[in-house]
Amino acid sequence: MELITEVIHYIFIWLTDLGYWGIMIGLMIEVIPSEIILSYGGFLIYQNKITWTEAMVFATIGGTLAQIFLYWLGKFGGRPLIEKYGKYILIHKKHLDLSEKWFNQYGTGMIFTARFIPVVRHAISIPAGLANMSFIRFSVLTTLAVIPWSAFFLFLGTTLGENWEQIDEKAQPFVMPFIIVSLLLTGFYLIYKITKKKDSSSQNYGLEGEKIVKHQLKYLPKGYTVFHDIKLKTNGRTQQFDHVAIGPNGIFHIETKHWSGEIRFTSQGIQRSNNKNNVDPTAQMYRHDYIIKELLRRNNMKTSIRGLICFSHPNCQIIGESPAFKTIKVDRLLHTIQSYKTKRPVSKEEMKRLSNIIEHHLVS
C-alpha cells in the first residue's frame, strides 16, 4: 500500500511540472481524483502560471477523453472484459450493474445527469458503449457535463489559492450546494422520464419489455434495418413478431420476455421461480422461423436466419437456454447480433430486397 501511495505521489509531482498538459493527462488517466487535479489547476491560475482558458480547454479535453476510453472499452471489449479487469480502473461489478440499470431505464440523457452522481459518474460510460450509443451524441453530452465539473473545481482552486491542498476540508461549503443542485437536476430528469413513460402508454407488462429492446436496437450500426411489432402473413398463416432485424450477417427475429426472477430452461420446458405463466416461447420461435423461411423460399432467396429470445427485465436470472434458439439478456443483444458470423455476408442489394419482402407481406 505504501508503494502505491509513493507511486501516486511521484505521478502527481510529475503532472504538476507539466502545467495545463498535466491537467489534461491527469484527468485522462485519473490515477489521482479529478477534484485534486482540477483544484491544483485552479492554484496554477491563482499563480498566473496558466490562464483560465488554457485550464478549461485542457481540462475539458482530458475529462472527455477519459470517458471516451471507457465508452470504447464497453463497445469493443464487452461486459465480460469489464467484469474481469474493471477493478484495475476502480470500476466494480456493482457499479456497472447500477449504471447499466440507470442507462437502460432512463435513456441516453443519463450520460449527462449521472456525471454528477458518485459511484455511477464514471461507470455510466460503459453501458453507453455496450449499447452502441451514437459516438457523437455520447461525446457531446459528456463534454457538456465535463465543462461545469471542471469549471467548478478550477474555481475552488483559485479561491483557495495557497490552501488548495486542503480541498476536502475547505471545499465543503461550496461542494454541498453544487451536489444539491446536481441531484435536483437529476431528480427532475428522472421525474420527467418516469412521467413520460406513464403518460406515453398504458402498456402492459410485456410491452414494457418490447420498449426496452426497441430502445437497444436503435443503436445498431448503419446498414441494419429493424422492424418492430409487425405481423407477417404467408401461405394463409399470420404471425406477430416483436422485432425483426436485417443486416449484413442475416435476419434476426427477436422474441421479448419481460420476466423477473429465476428463469430455468429444462427438458420439460420453462420453470419460473415466481410461479407465473410458464409458456415456453420456443414453439412461437419455430413458427416465426417457418414464416421467414417460407417468405425467402417463395422469393428465391437464401440467407442466415437467427432466432433470439431476449429477456429484458433487470432482475431476471437465466439458467440454461432454449434448445434451438439463442437465449440472452437485453444487455447482450447488440453484441450477439453484431458478432454473429455467417458463411456468406448479405450484400446491400440483398438487404434491400429482404426489407422489401418483409414490407410487402406486412398485415395490419
Side-chain angles (χ1 to χ4, degrees):
M1 191 66 182
E2 290 182 2
L3 177 61
I4 295 175
T5 303
E6 190 173 340
V7 169
I8 292 175
H9 175 73
Y10 280 120
I11 291 174
F12 182 70
I13 295 299
W14 173 64
L15 292 173
T16 57
D17 291 335
L18 298 178
Y20 47 77
W21 286 101
I23 296 173
M24 186 183 78
I25 296 171
L27 293 175
M28 284 174 59
I29 61 177
E30 199 144 355
V31 175
I32 302 163
S34 61
E35 298 90 326
I36 295 177
I37 296 292
L38 290 167
S39 298
Y40 182 76
F43 174 59
L44 293 179
I45 297 172
Y46 170 81
Q47 291 184 315
N48 293 318
K49 291 185 177 180
I50 61 174
T51 66
W52 256 102
T53 302
E54 291 169 339
M56 277 300 303
V57 168
F58 281 80
T60 302
I61 293 172
T64 303
L65 287 178
Q67 299 309 312
I68 287 175
F69 168 74
L70 295 176
Y71 169 89
W72 282 339
L73 207 60
K75 182 173 183 176
F76 300 111
R79 187 179 176 108
L81 182 72
I82 304 299
E83 290 186 355
K84 188 172 182 180
Y85 299 107
K87 60 185 178 182
Y88 297 111
I89 53 175
L90 304 180
I91 294 178
H92 300 279
K93 186 176 182 297
K94 62 181 181 181
H95 303 148
L96 184 58
D97 289 341
L98 180 60
S99 58
E100 192 166 49
K101 180 179 178 181
W102 280 40
F103 183 84
N104 288 333
Q105 211 164 0
Y106 302 114
T108 56
M110 290 306 300
I111 294 300
F112 177 82
T113 56
R115 294 290 178 209
F116 310 105
I117 300 175
V119 179
V120 297
R121 197 167 78 82
H122 298 298
I124 196 68
S125 298
I126 295 173
L130 291 172
N132 203 27
M133 177 183 174
S134 163
F135 178 72
I136 294 176
R137 180 173 172 79
F138 171 83
S139 301
V140 169
L141 289 173
T142 298
T143 302
L144 290 175
V146 167
I147 289 172
W149 180 267
S150 301
F152 177 68
F153 283 100
L154 286 172
F155 165 74
L156 288 182
T158 59
T159 302
L160 295 173
E162 300 287 346
N163 298 315
W164 74 269
E165 292 182 344
Q166 302 173 28
I167 183 68
D168 288 338
E169 175 186 345
K170 300 288 186 180
Q172 284 302 319
F174 302 95
V175 171
M176 284 311 297
F178 182 79
I179 292 176
I180 290 171
V181 171
S182 301
L183 290 174
L184 285 173
L185 289 174
T186 304
F188 286 136
Y189 174 77
L190 296 181
I191 291 170
Y192 165 75
K193 293 295 289 185
I194 293 169
T195 304
K196 185 179 178 183
K197 180 188 288 187
K198 289 181 179 179
D199 292 343
S200 64
S201 64
S202 54
Q203 297 181 28
N204 62 31
Y205 200 61
L207 290 180
E208 181 62 27
E210 293 179 30
K211 193 175 179 181
I212 293 171
V213 172
K214 182 178 180 180
H215 175 77
Q216 289 289 307
L217 289 173
K218 75 179 184 180
Y219 295 114
L220 280 172
K222 291 182 179 179
Y224 283 86
T225 301
V226 183
F227 298 89
H228 304 287
D229 190 19
I230 60 173
K231 290 181 181 179
L232 295 175
K233 183 177 182 179
T234 185
N235 290 348
R237 300 178 63 175
T238 302
Q239 282 292 310
Q240 185 272 338
F241 292 75
D242 290 343
H243 316 276
V244 175
I246 300 171
N249 52 349
I251 298 179
F252 301 85
H253 59 94
I254 304 158
E255 178 65 20
T256 301
K257 295 298 179 186
H258 197 59
W259 293 350
S260 59
E262 185 179 284
I263 304 159
R264 187 183 297 271
F265 285 84
T266 69
S267 56
Q268 287 76 39
I270 282 183
Q271 296 177 354
R272 296 177 62 189
S273 60
N274 52 20
N275 296 319
K276 291 189 177 181
N277 186 6
N278 293 333
V279 176
D280 192 334
T282 304
Q284 188 174 7
M285 295 294 288
Y286 277 119
R287 292 192 291 270
H288 290 171
D289 241 27
Y290 167 79
I291 292 289
I292 293 177
K293 287 178 180 177
E294 190 63 16
L295 287 177
L296 296 184
R297 184 189 68 79
R298 290 165 66 92
N299 288 274
N300 296 316
M301 289 200 70
K302 289 184 179 180
T303 191
S304 176
I305 301 171
R306 182 79 159 158
L308 306 176
I309 304 174
C310 182
F311 293 92
S312 56
H313 200 287
N315 297 323
C316 74
Q317 180 184 4
I318 304 171
I319 300 174
E321 66 177 353
S322 168
F325 301 99
K326 185 69 174 177
T327 309
I328 56 173
K329 293 183 69 173
V330 69
D331 62 336
R332 300 293 298 166
L333 178 60
L334 295 184
H335 174 76
T336 300
I337 293 175
Q338 292 177 251
S339 63
Y340 179 67
K341 304 296 182 183
T342 183
K343 293 181 180 178
R344 186 181 70 85
V346 185
S347 68
K348 290 183 179 180
E349 292 74 17
E350 289 174 318
M351 284 190 285
K352 185 176 181 179
R353 189 180 171 198
L354 288 170
S355 296
N356 290 336
I357 291 171
I358 295 292
E359 291 174 352
H360 182 70
H361 289 83
L362 290 175
V363 294
S364 56

